[in-house]
Amino acid sequence: MAADANATGVDERRSSARQTQSDDVDAAESADDRLLEVENLRTVFHTERETIRAVDGVSFGIEEGETLGLVGESGSGKSVTARSIMGLVDDPGELLPGSSVRFDGRELTDLTEKGYESVRGSGIAMVFQDPLSTLNPVYTVGNQIEEALSLHRGLSGIDATEKAIELLEDVGIPDAARRVSEYPHEFSGGMRQRAVIAMALACDPDVLVCDEPTTALDVTIQAQILELLSDLQAEHGLSILFITHDMGVIAEVADRVAVMYAGEIVEQAPVVELYENPRHPYTRGLLRSIPSTQQGAERLETIAGEVPTPNKAATDCRFAPRCPEAFDACEEVHPVPVPVEEGAEDHTAACLLYPEDEPRKAAVDRHAAAGDEDSPESAGSTGGDSR
Amino acid sequence: MSAVDYPVDEDEQTLLERIQDEPGPALKLLAVVVPLFAVEFGAVASLVMSLPWSAVGSALPGFLQGLAGALAGVGDALANLPTLLSRSVIDNSGYQLPSGEWVGTTLGLSPAVAWLLRVLLVYAYGFAWMAVGWWVYLVYRDNYRYADWAPVDDMVNRFRNHSWGLLGLAIIFAFVVLALFAPALGPTTVEANISDPYLHTVEYFDEEAGSVQEIYVGDANRDSQSRGQGGDNVGPLSYDQFGRFHPFGTLPSGKDLFTFMAAGARVSLFIGVLSLLIAGGIAVTFALATAYYKGLVDLGVVIASDSIQSLPQLLFIMLASFVLSGTWLANLYSGGVVLALLFGFTGWPGLWRAVRGPALQVSEREWIDAAKSFGQRPSVTMRKHMLPYVVGYLLIYASLTLGGVIIGVAGLSFLGLGINAPTPEWGRAVSAGQPYVPTQSWHISLIPGIMVVIVVTGFNALGDGIRDAIDPQSDVGTGQQDESAAAGGGA
């Protein structure tokens, strides 16, 4: 297994390199052992009419070897979150000051375009939604994988080709030695996505950001790709940020799930906990609207209305207009993520109903106070304290 | 997974290996190309030797001087090799005895016939190269290319069905051959007839003296002037009194118009191509940079290009070439270089605007993001992932712009700016013939004028054809023909 030994060798080198790096970091700030830490991320897009707050105060972290699922409806800001992490937000978009993306203890939002190049690929790599448009149609698949290989592993010529074949085999492409010199149009949809994943793996990343990688694929291929991702994760010790709108897919791959709504994370919990015990009314609505083939199923439930486009700082609960459990305070207080009950620190929800074990008024005040701290700009208008 | 020692299978071979596997078609091709090149090898060598090597040689350190001298000797020897298209192969200069017999021309042909034969030979040679180019494409496509099909095949097919584009190609082919082989095509040469007429002589049979006389070309030219009503006139396709054949007639100065036109084509083509290389290079660089970085870079280039476009181009070039006249720059290639630079540096905004759209379009494609996401450098991303989508458009607009440059140069020369006399330029011929347009010497202005129109139309037609060929959505109105051609013709 010459090929495998080689791959492992590379892995070892990489992780040992990171080891020394994180040792330094540990000395500096010992609290944080999470590989990727996103804090209070705010990405806005300036248009002529208004400023769209596509991502508005998102915080989450991913540990080494963990998969975080980011789920939400179309337009909830999932992809923008991914692009913000990759530093791919173009004009007229911008990250507001105060946003923080830390990778391996390194602050990414301060980096210049040049500095980002060293993080992209070898640190964080991305798999995009549509594999056909991710691959450049004028170059062979092998050529594109070799491009990443030469950039990150300094391979060229026959070495690069062999490594590319190896990677294609790793992602389960049959007859890889022949396929490596084929063009993207000669690949099927599933194989293209495998090739794109191989391209991302060629960079030997620590974190893989998958932006709806299975959306363009049919269900059986979807399952194969998900299985492939979890195999690769086990093999390479990858951390994965998995973005999707499909609650079924998230159940299969994620260790923890963050539910996004209108640019905010409304609930975050370990995957089993979330499915068995969803707390936020929006999460419940989402889970109820999964179609199933069970007998006697009634008309499928939906959440009425659609995701609003946030264009100013939140002063209320953005889900309130669609929420079946909304009460008066929901229109005046902006909820912040809080543990859903005493002792459940890993299950948070941004909803005035929580913490569940506190009296309602105390809970509302707690949200209002936290909100004032977080965003001074909204202090005057909440009025939560007065009641 | 087993430890496979990945065999290099057939599909991964390089082009060279594929040729080694199946050398037949390549050898056949080589058997035609080598002789075709060999018959003109001397001309290529003399072109190389005509470069200012002495400047290079004197800059070399002493011990290399001897070597350089030896090399120069070899080069000169090669440059003197006989070539197929040299003027002496079919000689059209001679004199006619009273008996009607021609002396001095090849096989005693009349100069008109000899000249025509040489023109046909030159064009046949040019056509052979074009055919070889087509053949190389076919051989590569059918024998050596890895892919059975590539988008370029469809482009070629669409172009072959595009009659307007083909007409353009034919015109441009004729124009380029005229420019490249100008010294062989003219009935006489620029040196002998135009630039140094008093250093060259011609022989003719003087009927009064009853013997063969020698006369300076300059003196002969004075008796072969075309000066319209009342004056002398040597029209198209006629002989002057010294037995010289003038396919396009003569200029008012008595010089041969065809020789003038052929040399002028060379100048026009040189200026056109050089200015387009400059303008195209700037345009593509800016287009890729603006599409990649957007924002301030884009704004900066927009302002720069708008500023340049707000200048009246021809007026500005006139002013600049007037200011620059007399400097060393203005003397390069009789002012051709400075014109090319001026047309290049004022012409890029148009090209840039044309390719900026496609560049912006491709910059939004996901594979650009993918390349960024694995940390690819901007310059490589631009070159590898964006440039291939832009060059096609550049080709179209370059072809359309080339016609404009040729008109511009002709216009400047018409006004007496631009190319310095006596270097031939079409616009100067139009200008020289201007007073004689309504007379029997109409040919002086009209022939160059019509040629400018034809060549510019040809470039536009070629550009149209390439555009329709590149754009898969453009059905050139021959969709059915396309299918039947595909079904019936196996080429």
Side-chain angles (χ1 to χ4, degrees):
Chain A
M1 308 261 290
D4 276 8
N6 186 17
T8 335
V10 171
D11 271 356
E12 273 164 12
R13 252 178 295 140
R14 168 176 58 78
S15 47
S16 68
R18 206 176 58 221
Q19 202 59 53
T20 53
Q21 205 181 339
S22 55
D23 281 349
D24 297 346
V25 173
D26 283 350
E29 44 169 328
S30 54
D32 217 349
D33 63 338
R34 298 209 266 201
L35 187 55
L36 182 70
E37 182 79 43
V38 176
E39 234 182 277
N40 197 22
L41 179 69
R42 289 174 204 271
T43 309
V44 298
F45 290 88
H46 303 287
T47 64
E48 281 182 18
R49 278 191 308 137
E50 57 195 357
T51 296
I52 311 247
R53 304 170 76 93
V55 175
D56 199 2
V58 160
S59 304
F60 59 82
I62 304 176
E63 280 162 34
E64 222 176 309
E66 185 191 35
T67 302
L68 176 70
L70 196 58
V71 69
E73 282 171 87
S74 304
S76 57
K78 308 181 299 282
S79 293
V80 177
T81 306
R83 297 181 70 89
S84 304
I85 293 172
M86 296 302 296
L88 290 177
V89 176
D90 291 329
D91 258 3
E94 109 178 283
L95 265 64
L96 288 187
S99 306
S100 155
V101 178
R102 268 196 310 282
F103 168 69
D104 219 358
R106 203 168 150 200
E107 181 61 51
L108 299 186
T109 50
D110 302 338
L111 290 179
T112 57
E113 187 67 12
K114 192 107 196 116
Y116 236 119
E117 277 165 32
S118 65
V119 177
R120 290 183 192 141
S122 55
I124 313 174
M126 187 157 170
V127 175
F128 291 84
Q129 179 172 350
D130 182 358
L132 183 56
S133 57
T134 309
L135 294 166
N136 191 337
V138 303
Y139 297 109
T140 61
V141 170
N143 183 318
Q144 298 182 57
I145 297 176
E146 285 162 33
E147 189 183 337
L149 281 174
S150 80
L151 213 59
H152 293 287
R153 306 200 193 180
L155 294 174
S156 62
I158 195 84
D159 293 341
T161 311
E162 276 175 13
K163 187 71 197 166
I165 294 170
E166 199 177 298
L167 281 165
L168 284 178
E169 262 176 12
D170 280 356
V171 297
I173 288 186
D175 200 6
R178 190 171 59 82
R179 289 299 196 155
V180 74
S181 53
E182 286 188 350
Y183 287 85
H185 73 266
E186 297 173 271
F187 275 47
S188 70
M191 289 210 297
R192 270 177 219 147
Q193 194 57 288
R194 286 167 193 269
V196 169
I197 292 172
M199 223 164 107
L201 289 180
C203 316
D204 197 13
D206 300 326
V207 178
L208 196 60
V209 176
C210 301
D211 186 6
E212 311 218 19
T214 58
T215 306
L217 308 174
D218 67 44
V219 189
T220 48
I221 307 296
Q222 224 175 55
Q224 291 172 14
I225 296 286
L226 295 181
E227 201 174 318
L228 169 69
L229 279 174
S230 64
D231 287 352
L232 292 172
Q233 180 171 34
E235 208 174 302
H236 298 263
L238 281 172
S239 305
I240 297 181
L241 174 62
F242 195 98
I243 295 172
T244 182
H245 60 255
D246 189 332
M247 294 299 276
V249 167
I250 223 77
E252 216 152 308
V253 291
D255 299 320
R256 271 186 317 120
V257 181
V259 181
M260 256 188 117
Y261 183 80
E264 298 172 312
I265 288 181
V266 293
E267 184 164 6
Q268 208 173 144
V271 64
V272 179
E273 166 77 6
L274 187 93
Y275 277 78
E276 283 181 354
N277 201 2
R279 296 305 185 94
H280 197 284
Y282 177 62
T283 316
R284 290 187 196 154
L286 271 186
L287 287 172
R288 271 201 300 273
S289 49
I290 299 175
S292 77
T293 52
Q294 276 165 6
Q295 285 289 315
E298 297 288 308
R299 194 180 160 80
L300 189 64
E301 269 193 61
T302 56
I303 308 175
E306 53 191 60
V307 187
T309 304
N311 53 12
K312 43 184 174 298
T315 57
D316 57 356
C317 173
R318 282 180 177 147
F319 185 59
R322 301 170 73 187
C323 183
E325 296 171 52
F327 53 103
D328 292 347
C330 292
E331 282 166 24
E332 286 165 30
V333 176
H334 179 232
V336 294
V338 292
V340 291
E341 57 200 15
E342 188 82 41
E345 295 300 324
D346 60 350
H347 190 167
T348 59
C351 177
L352 299 187
L353 294 172
Y354 302 97
E356 207 169 26
D357 42 8
E358 273 180 42
R360 206 67 352 249
K361 186 168 183 326
V364 170
D365 285 349
R366 178 172 166 174
H367 280 283
D372 288 348
E373 258 171 49
D374 253 23
S375 46
E377 69 220 84
S378 63
S381 51
T382 39
D385 294 334
S386 60
R387 293 178 309 117
Chain B
M1 202 170 40
S2 61
V4 189
D5 198 6
Y6 302 103
V8 177
D9 77 324
E10 205 183 343
D11 294 333
E12 277 186 86
Q13 291 171 314
T14 61
L15 178 63
L16 198 67
E17 286 165 339
R18 285 200 290 270
I19 291 178
Q20 277 166 355
D21 270 6
E22 192 196 350
L27 285 178
K28 265 190 241 168
L29 196 62
L30 207 63
V32 172
V33 169
V34 168
L36 210 53
F37 182 72
V39 295
E40 275 291 282
F41 181 73
V44 176
S46 82
L47 185 74
V48 173
M49 291 312 294
S50 70
L51 297 175
W53 289 117
S54 53
V56 180
S58 55
L60 286 174
F63 65 94
L64 282 178
Q65 293 277 10
L67 187 67
L71 264 181
V74 174
D76 284 335
L78 289 178
N80 289 329
L81 283 176
T83 60
L84 175 70
L85 302 183
S86 77
R87 306 180 55 80
S88 56
V89 172
I90 303 177
D91 200 343
N92 67 324
S93 55
Y95 51 88
Q96 191 176 26
L97 299 174
S99 59
E101 188 190 343
W102 285 93
V103 178
T105 60
T106 301
L107 300 174
L109 294 167
S110 74
V113 173
W115 170 78
L116 192 65
L117 280 179
R118 199 166 67 226
V119 168
L120 289 178
L121 180 68
V122 169
Y123 271 92
Y125 183 78
F127 189 79
W129 271 114
M130 195 157 85
V132 163
W134 174 243
W135 190 21
V136 166
Y137 164 72
L138 287 183
V139 166
Y140 174 66
R141 185 188 70 183
D142 298 340
N143 298 77
Y144 300 119
R145 192 170 66 193
Y146 160 65
D148 297 330
W149 174 88
V152 73
D153 295 353
D154 278 5
M155 290 178 200
V156 169
N157 280 336
R158 275 193 293 269
F159 189 81
R160 286 177 70 191
N161 286 315
H162 196 287
S163 35
W164 180 234
L166 285 178
L167 176 72
L169 182 68
I171 293 170
I172 300 316
F173 167 75
F175 173 68
V176 170
V177 170
L178 180 68
L180 285 181
F181 297 101
L185 279 173
T188 171
T189 63
V190 174
E191 293 76 36
N193 193 260
I194 295 168
S195 54
D196 304 317
Y198 281 100
L199 295 179
H200 295 80
T201 56
V202 288
E203 285 180 323
Y204 72 104
F205 187 82
D206 189 342
E207 287 185 19
E208 280 172 31
S211 65
V212 175
Q213 304 277 325
E214 203 168 7
I215 184 173
Y216 282 118
V217 174
D219 290 331
N221 282 351
R222 248 186 306 169
D223 290 330
S224 64
Q225 292 171 341
S226 294
R227 288 188 179 271
Q229 220 84 52
D232 300 328
N233 185 49
V234 181
L237 297 176
S238 57
Y239 288 94
D240 61 19
Q241 62 190 78
F242 304 101
R244 299 182 300 177
F245 180 66
H246 299 288
F248 283 178
T250 60
L251 287 162
S253 58
K255 295 169 178 175
D256 181 58
L257 182 56
F258 188 93
T259 309
F260 191 92
M261 294 292 295
R266 219 171 218 208
V267 175
S268 298
L269 190 66
F270 170 82
I271 296 174
V273 169
L274 183 61
S275 67
L276 271 184
L277 285 180
I278 295 168
I282 297 175
V284 162
T285 313
F286 278 166
L288 293 181
T290 54
Y292 187 91
Y293 292 109
K294 304 189 178 73
L296 276 181
V297 178
D298 195 21
L299 188 68
V301 180
V302 167
I303 291 172
S305 105
D306 282 0
S307 311
I308 290 180
Q309 283 208 316
S310 68
L311 297 170
Q313 192 191 16
L314 271 185
L315 217 58
F316 173 77
I317 290 177
M318 274 186 223
L319 192 71
S321 56
F322 182 74
V323 168
L324 288 171
S325 64
T327 63
W328 62 272
L329 198 59
N331 291 328
L332 292 178
Y333 204 61
S334 311
V337 171
V338 78
L339 275 187
L341 288 175
L342 286 173
F343 272 101
F345 283 110
T346 55
W348 66 263
L351 283 176
W352 171 73
R353 280 165 175 246
V355 294
R356 177 173 175 262
L360 277 173
Q361 217 175 352
V362 66
S363 77
E364 295 297 321
R365 303 303 288 262
E366 207 155 61
W367 63 76
I368 304 295
D369 280 342
K372 282 184 196 169
S373 82
F374 62 72
Q376 186 55 277
R377 289 186 297 278
S379 60
V380 181
T381 308
M382 286 185 225
R383 199 181 60 234
K384 188 173 173 186
H385 294 293
M386 290 166 73
L387 185 61
Y389 295 85
V390 174
V391 280
Y393 294 90
L394 191 71
L395 212 61
I396 299 161
Y397 288 99
S399 177
L400 296 176
T401 312
L402 199 56
V405 174
I406 289 175
I407 286 195
V409 174
L412 285 177
S413 304
F414 176 82
L415 295 172
L417 299 155
I419 300 297
N420 314 337
T423 303
E425 214 299 317
W426 293 7
R428 265 221 325 286
V430 178
S431 164
Q434 199 191 4
Y436 310 106
V437 171
T439 71
Q440 52 188 341
S441 299
W442 51 268
H443 61 269
I444 309 166
S445 271
L446 215 57
I447 291 178
I450 289 174
M451 293 229 340
V452 170
V453 171
I454 291 177
V455 168
V456 172
T457 309
F459 274 115
N460 287 345
L462 185 68
D464 270 354
I466 298 174
R467 175 172 55 206
D468 289 343
I470 284 179
D471 181 5
Q473 252 112 48
S474 86
D475 196 353
V476 288
T478 52
Q480 290 184 331
Q481 228 176 307
D482 246 329
E483 279 165 25
S484 62

